[in-house]
Amino acid sequence: MGLELDLVTKQYGSKTVCDRISITFQKGIYGLLGANGAGKTTLIRMMCGVLAPTSGTISFNKIDVSHEDYRDALGYLPQDFGYYPEFSALNFLLYIAALKGLPKPQAEEKAWELLEQVSLDKDARKRIKTFSGGMKQRLGIAQSMLNNPQILILDEPTAGLDPKERIRFRNMISRLGADRIVLLSTHIVSDIEHIAGTILVMKDGSLIHQGTRDEIISSIDGKVWECTLSQSDSVGICKKYPVINIRQESGGTVLLRLISEEKPCAEAVNTQATLEDLYLYYFSEVSEQ
Amino acid sequence: MRGFWDLVGFEYKKILCKRSIQFTLILSVLLTVINVPVALYGDYYVYGMPYESNYTAMVKDRAYARSLSGRPLDTGLIMETVHAYAQIPPADDYQSTLEYQTIARPYSEIYGAIRGVFNTASKRFNMEDFQMLTKGEADGYYSIRHEKLEQHILQTHMSDKAKELVMAMDSQIKTPFTFSYTDGYSHYFMMINILGLFCEFVIAVCLAPLFSREYTSGTDQLILSAKHGKNKLIAAKIFTGFSLTAIIGLIQLTLAFCLSLTIYGPEGGSAPLQLFNALYPYPLSMAQTALLLMVVSLFAFLMTGAITMLLSANLKTPFGVIVLVSVLLIAPMMGSVSEQNILLHNLYQLFPTQMTSLSSVAATIQYEFGGLVIHPYVFLPLFALTLSVILTPLAYHIFKNHQIE
């Protein structure tokens, strides 16, 4: 039971964008981490039934992704969230509610409730075309929750949100994750570091890691180093290893945080790894590109 | 049906909230209002000087025609007209002569109604010929008309069965015709083709974004992942497309009809269609013909709507849809196909803009399938309906199976 992906593959010609992905989601928050082009959005689109897999199956409680009942259980915020500029925020939510099959009185009540939750209740009757990027994103989050979905899939949900909104959004997702499946796709590590119970790491169309934050991070234990070097020595190290952080210290030295399989220099000391370190470990080449 | 009508309401809102569509709808109504009385704008000029306004001329001619209404178009009335026209002295512009204005003009509608029958392939029957029309020729008006129509029918490549059927239809026309003032209907018949083009273009503009806008705006992902996005919503979109088409068509056709009858005069509904064109073979009254034209036009509009919706589901931008539909509407108006090639001729009449023309609806050439002969005014709406029924599920499936890549 739960949301099951069985050998889900998507190919465009000879290019494999998602490669035999199998996973079962149970209630809880999942963070899908990967660089741009890793295949996160393709996987999400297949899970939302808007893109057919080349092979494999996706089902929720044995209901196939193509079935109306699957969509009835789904809430989805796409990466490039489209809207109708001439609609007001309230009208837009009522329209999506009608699409999701909510009866009119219930739709209105739910729309107002969500508008309040995303702090758009005062702007409910304003046209969406007058909204800032952050307001549109909040509206997108609200529409995804209209049908109180059992599966909530959010693709880059915090794009355009300011730090305060981002924290409020994380708290909201934490509450929602208690009684549903929430999949949060992002390349912003801090979005999922503290709220995702399970983190999925995707690279080149495959899931290369899945587990709790600590389980995932343990895969790079002993590979994160910190060292204080002179300016001139640091240049050579920076060229040789993926550097996570550079901090100027007093006395003309720099503190480097980097990733390396072996000790990069005599001054280097092993340090506790974080999710950001893991991200850099797997995606440094992609990020540099 | 729970939720269906809400979705239809939202689809209407999406279409009608757009400024460009509001502008197009208002403009199309204005164009109709301006176009109906277009023949009344300006003046009639004689020797470079305004003689009378076109409106004054219409009022005057209408009064003359009304005074003759109800009289049979027989030898007596034809000869009365010939005698009146015989008074006109030779002149470069006979309509400027006092004799025409005072003696012949009251009969000008009679002259206009019958002259077409006397035209020959080599010579256009003119006023001088009419002045010399003999009583014998006037006596033979209906037999000349019948022979001319028969000759035309025999020259076509229709089957013998179809030819017989057309002649049988013609034989049901009651002669002599009872003359009536019919300008309200005549103007409607003359303008409906261009009105049809307006309407079809407006329909294309309104419906082009129906599906394609969802692709361009990125709302397709929200729609196709929602419970009713792959079934009820598509049905609601299609219902919206057809109902909006019907509303636009009915408003425009009715508005033009009412304006035409209000401006030029409402009488003549029971007069025979042959007062508009003596060589039409159908025993229809003016009012029946107007109704048939409206019905056929409405089906042509629905077909245009179905084509637009299919293209909208298929193409990624509304602009591309409008361009393609415009080509489909305008290109056939640029040419014509001879009646000698029946297949091509009949196919040509099936283009949406051709369907809204009286010459297509009341054409002599019949549609034939396996021994079955169908009149154009029956076949054209049937074809439009059939094509719409075929295209609509295609649009439905294309949108339903659209992939977000």
Side-chain angles (χ1 to χ4, degrees), chain A residues 175-192:
Chain A
R175 284 195 301 274
L176 288 168
D179 54 359
R180 75 195 74 214
I181 296 163
V182 179
L183 176 62
L184 202 69
S185 160
T186 185
H187 57 261
I188 301 167
V189 174
S190 60
D191 278 352
I192 55 172

Side-chain angles (χ1 to χ4, degrees), chain B residues 192 280 282 284 289 292-294 296-297 349 354-366 375-378 380-381:
Chain B
I192 198 161
Y280 280 136
Y282 302 103
L284 296 167
T289 307
L292 271 178
L293 253 180
M294 280 191 206
V296 176
S297 298
Q349 309 307 315
Q354 295 303 110
M355 273 195 198
T356 60
S357 154
L358 180 61
S359 59
S360 298
V361 173
T364 310
I365 305 291
Q366 308 292 298
H375 299 314
Y377 57 76
V378 175
L380 295 182

